[in-house]
Amino acid sequence: MTGPECVTFAALLEDSAEDLYDNAPCGYVSTLLDGTIAKVNATLLRWLGHDRDDLVGRRRFPDLLTVGGRVYYETHVLPLLHMQGELGGVALEMKIADGTRLPVLLTSVVKKGPGGQAQLIRTTVFDARDRRAYEQELLRASQQAELERDRAQQLARTLQQTLLPPALPEVPGVEVEAYYHPASLDQVGGDFYDLFPLTAGTWGFFLGDVSGKGADAAVVTSLVRYTLRSGAIDDPEPADVLRHLNAVLNHTNPRLCTVIYGRIRPDGTGATVTLACGGHPPPVLIRADGTRELVRMPGGQLVGVLPVARFTTTTVHLGPGDTLLLYTDGLTEARIGADIRYSEEELRDDLSGPATARSVIAAATGLLASFGAGVEDDTALLAFSVQPPGATSPVS
Amino acid sequence: MDVSRRNNVVVTGNPEGPAVLLAHGFGCDQNLWRRIVPDLAQHCRVVLFDHTGSGRSDLSAWSAERHGTLDGYADDVLDICRELELRDVVLVGHSVSSMIAVLAANREPERFAQLVLLTPSPCYVDDGDYRGGFSRADIDELLAALESNYLGWSAAMAPVIVDNPDQPELAEELKNSFCRTDPAIARVFARATFLSDNREDLRKVTVPTLVIQCAVDAIAPPEVGQFTHDQIAGSKLVTLNAIGHCPQLSAPESTAEAILEFVVGR
């Protein structure tokens, strides 16, 4: 910039510090530490419709705020200024002389004397009408979103409850325990289980996992549950129950599922369990002597994929002290490292024996808790154990 | 339950002196006592803490049910006394904590030697002849003011230490606490604070009590301090020549002096 231009600019600006202070595009107010107004600029006086003489030395800054703002100022702003010397971005409303209000944003610093002692609070006041209107919209939107989320969770919870048995029936001589871990509060999961009486002395049960989650999966889960329950009514062979389910799913829905269907018959020496498997992870069998094994039923196919599917069956006898755990892959496919997932074998090794239905469910839920956010899918657990000799309730 | 961790309890001062338990009010945390702790610590065993949900307390211990009323906070205070095995406690409550102190002392009077109520109000809302200073609409407005400040909470309230460059540990301490509060927690605390009516509880106080008020206080005006003093039989009233609601910050010397004179007679 050359000399003459400089002079022109200076003349245009007519800049004096005083003029800059008084007619700045923001309000300035200086107060004593207790809030008494010591100095205020013309901009703020104009905004508020006050005369300088009404305010300086006569009013405290909090007096210019709405009641709510005053309490906030006294309980939050002044203490923070005392303690940390400055504060920015405080959203408050100031009272205008005509009774209306001016939303403002305040930034304050404490001015120190030469000895470091606090002397004054200097505050800049920005007109925040537009911004506040926008914020109100945001606030309303976030409150609405919170409400919607509560509603979605409530709906998901209710729906989930209808997909699980409210209580498990008693099976004489057999301890039964189940657990359901939802991966998300917002969505219904696709895992399911049930236990129900079939004939005198025989109980049917199933545990499985419908692909996907949410409302669509819930529709299929509901269909699967009722198809299994109705297909089991005459206590056919377990593999036939799955064949029936496969036929229904093939006709009606593109979804697929994995499931174990079985029946349990208490006898004089424990209980006989017959299992049919459709592509589901193998149950863990924990013997009374502490040995553990995976009950594999290789060759069982996913339910709902092929028009005619093959299902494999096996029979296990549970003696006193033996425990059988059925689970879904939410547990065995939990992420336990960057690229590492838990496995069926690790589950088998991590469960200690001998166990009971209750203790094995406690151990499995403990594992779920230890995986934390690594559990990415819902998990259903169902366990049976035969009470060891000498337990309070005799085997019938 | 580890109460010391839950409430970020800090014990300092003269171990031979009387136990003085300082309860901070709505808004900030135990840092609010900073300016009077050195004076008190010469003569007293000073116990500081953060209310559950405030400052550096364990937020997981906060519950909307327990901390939705001042009784829950009084329970917390009694928990602290029990865990630290404090006897003949001088309980100093600022602002809403003065009523928390009243509730705690009425529950277990034998545990407390004295109460100090700093800028107390037993009821903020006007009711008939009683003037608390606020209408119900005012309180709703306050809750709205809190709400609008949570929008920019993290940025607005990040404390910047300007005057203690040579005390980094202090800066560290402040960065983590201060007047930062989870908005959901602050909302519940604000309701409990400003909508409680503890006027009836004042008459049940049997512990010797000192009421300290400021000459000018927009939140707890002098007539409310007078009312509190009148309702507590045998209580003493000191009016500080100070302005505002936090005399421990704005007039620390005279606040400490009033407390010490009552507690150790000097």
Side-chain angles (χ1 to χ4, degrees):
Chain A
M1 198 185 287
T2 55
E5 277 176 320
C6 253
V7 174
T8 318
F9 274 121
L12 275 176
L13 287 167
E14 279 185 283
D15 242 351
S16 71
E18 209 162 324
D19 183 52
L20 251 184
Y21 176 84
D22 248 345
N23 297 305
C26 62
Y28 285 124
V29 56
S30 300
T31 60
L32 305 183
L33 295 176
D34 62 23
T36 306
I37 295 170
K39 196 177 176 189
V40 55
N41 78 343
T43 305
L44 188 58
L45 290 170
R46 194 176 71 244
W47 285 353
L48 300 182
H50 282 297
D51 287 332
R52 194 178 304 268
D53 295 342
D54 295 339
L55 300 187
V56 173
R58 290 167 175 266
R59 303 284 291 277
R60 292 179 70 228
F61 182 71
D63 299 338
L64 303 179
L65 303 170
T66 58
V67 177
R70 197 182 311 154
V71 173
Y72 184 76
Y73 193 84
E74 301 269 4
T75 56
H76 289 73
V77 178
L78 274 182
L80 277 169
L81 282 173
H82 272 287
M83 290 191 284
Q84 67 190 28
E86 67 175 24
L87 184 65
V90 180
L92 294 171
E93 289 194 343
M94 300 192 75
K95 294 188 292 191
I96 301 177
D98 67 8
T100 58
R101 289 164 178 205
L102 174 68
V104 294
L105 279 175
L106 303 181
T107 299
S108 297
V109 294
V110 175
K111 178 184 181 265
K112 300 271 168 78
Q117 77 282 18
Q119 290 179 324
L120 282 176
I121 299 169
R122 287 171 166 165
T123 301
T124 49
V125 181
F126 291 96
D127 179 338
R129 271 175 294 203
D130 290 348
R131 196 190 129 145
R132 190 63 53 82
Y134 176 58
E135 284 176 351
Q136 291 298 335
E137 285 304 314
L138 281 181
L139 192 62
R140 249 195 301 279
S142 83
Q143 283 166 344
Q144 188 63 29
E146 213 166 294
L147 209 68
E148 295 293 343
R149 207 192 55 221
D150 286 350
R151 208 157 22 208
Q153 292 188 351
Q154 175 67 29
L155 199 63
R157 217 167 21 241
T158 310
L159 192 52
Q160 193 81 70
Q161 279 161 3
T162 66
L163 297 177
L164 298 174
L168 294 173
E170 267 187 44
V171 181
V174 178
E175 184 177 296
V176 185
E177 187 80 0
Y179 179 76
Y180 190 86
H181 170 83
S184 152
L185 293 174
D186 303 328
Q187 282 200 312
V188 193
D191 289 7
F192 57 90
Y193 65 82
D194 204 354
L195 170 67
F196 47 94
L198 277 178
T199 59
T202 306
W203 280 258
F205 63 88
F206 53 79
L207 176 141
D209 181 0
V210 165
S211 66
K213 55 181 64 161
D216 292 351
V219 169
V220 182
T221 306
S222 181
L223 175 69
V224 168
R225 263 178 63 81
Y226 290 104
T227 305
L228 286 171
R229 286 292 292 257
S230 59
I233 265 178
D234 296 326
D235 191 19
E237 283 308 305
D240 289 337
V241 179
L242 292 190
R243 275 184 208 106
H244 177 61
L245 175 65
N246 188 62
V248 171
L249 283 190
N250 256 293
H251 287 155
T252 52
N253 220 289
R255 295 263 179 182
L256 49 101
C257 77
T258 71
V259 62
I260 287 179
Y261 174 84
R263 67 173 167 232
I264 182 164
R265 276 189 186 135
D267 54 43
T269 58
T272 301
V273 180
T274 309
L275 300 166
C277 179
H280 197 83
V284 183
L285 177 59
I286 305 169
R287 292 296 186 188
D289 65 3
T291 56
R292 290 145 291 169
E293 60 177 291
L294 293 169
V295 184
R296 296 194 187 273
M297 291 162 273
Q301 293 173 320
L302 292 173
V303 186
V305 180
L306 301 170
V308 179
R310 194 175 70 239
F311 301 112
T312 47
T313 54
T314 192
T315 299
V316 177
H317 188 264
L318 298 181
D322 291 347
T323 301
L324 184 69
L325 171 69
L326 285 74
Y327 55 88
T328 55
D329 62 10
L331 172 59
T332 45
E333 293 195 355
R335 194 182 291 280
I336 53 171
D339 271 321
I340 314 166
R341 291 189 182 273
Y342 199 55
S343 67
E344 293 150 15
E345 290 74 20
E346 282 168 289
L347 173 64
R348 175 196 61 200
D349 297 343
D350 285 344
L351 295 174
S352 56
T356 64
R358 250 173 240 127
S359 77
V360 79
I361 295 288
T365 52
L367 285 168
L368 285 171
S370 71
F371 300 152
V375 182
E376 294 168 342
D377 203 355
D378 311 286
T379 304
L381 303 170
L382 178 62
F384 302 97
S385 62
V386 172
Q387 286 152 5
T392 43
S393 166
V395 174
S396 61
Chain B
M1 178 173 48
D2 183 352
V3 176
S4 290
R5 202 177 61 83
R6 181 187 75 187
N7 289 106
N8 186 25
V9 174
V10 175
V11 182
T12 181
N14 182 350
E16 305 301 316
V20 174
L21 180 57
L22 300 177
H24 69 83
F26 168 75
C28 295
D29 64 16
Q30 60 179 275
N31 278 293
L32 232 69
W33 298 111
R34 277 209 326 236
R35 293 204 175 147
I36 66 166
V37 166
D39 281 355
L40 298 183
Q42 286 182 29
H43 305 275
C44 312
R45 181 179 174 211
V46 179
V47 182
L48 296 143
F49 71 99
D50 294 336
H51 281 302
T52 311
S54 300
R56 295 208 290 168
S57 64
D58 178 2
L59 296 190
S60 68
W62 182 89
S63 96
E65 201 188 355
R66 178 178 170 107
H67 298 103
T69 67
L70 299 187
D71 289 296
Y73 292 93
D75 285 336
D76 287 354
V77 167
L78 292 171
D79 286 344
I80 293 168
C81 293
R82 272 189 285 266
E83 180 162 291
L84 270 64
E85 296 179 6
L86 302 178
R87 303 251 157 251
D88 301 322
V89 182
V90 180
L91 178 52
V92 183
H94 173 229
S95 193
V96 64
S97 280
S98 59
M99 290 308 118
I100 294 169
V102 162
L103 292 172
N106 286 354
R107 194 102 42 91
E108 290 186 24
E110 63 285 354
R111 194 175 281 281
F112 298 96
Q114 293 176 310
L115 285 185
V116 178
L117 312 182
L118 189 58
T119 61
S121 173
C123 180
Y124 290 95
V125 182
D126 297 338
D127 176 30
D129 291 341
Y130 173 80
R131 306 244 61 86
F134 296 90
S135 68
R136 183 56 212 247
D138 291 338
I139 300 300
D140 290 340
E141 194 176 77
L142 163 67
L143 298 175
L146 288 173
E147 207 75 57
S148 58
N149 275 286
Y150 295 139
L151 279 172
W153 189 258
S154 54
M157 294 300 164
V160 181
I161 308 308
V162 289
D163 51 355
N164 288 299
D166 49 347
Q167 283 179 270
E169 72 284 1
L170 185 61
E172 188 55 40
E173 172 204 346
L174 298 184
K175 203 160 53 195
N176 296 331
S177 81
F178 249 36
C179 305
R180 292 179 62 118
T181 316
D182 181 312
I185 292 177
R187 205 177 297 147
V188 172
F189 194 15
R191 297 191 81 84
T193 297
F194 292 104
L195 297 178
S196 289
D197 182 353
N198 299 99
R199 285 176 290 170
E200 291 298 318
D201 298 300
L202 298 180
R203 277 187 226 133
K204 298 176 196 150
V205 173
T206 55
V207 176
T209 299
L210 168 67
V211 176
I212 303 177
Q213 63 175 4
C214 293
V216 177
D217 181 347
I219 296 180
E223 52 268 41
V224 173
Q226 184 68 45
F227 176 89
T228 307
H229 165 57
D230 291 344
Q231 296 294 306
I232 301 178
S235 65
K236 210 179 140 201
L237 175 67
V238 170
T239 303
L240 301 174
N241 184 22
I243 296 177
H245 190 56
C246 305
Q248 71 271 51
L249 283 173
S250 60
E253 296 85 7
S254 44
T255 305
E257 199 182 297
I259 295 172
L260 283 173
E261 200 202 314
F262 184 63
V263 176
V264 292
R266 70 172 291 284

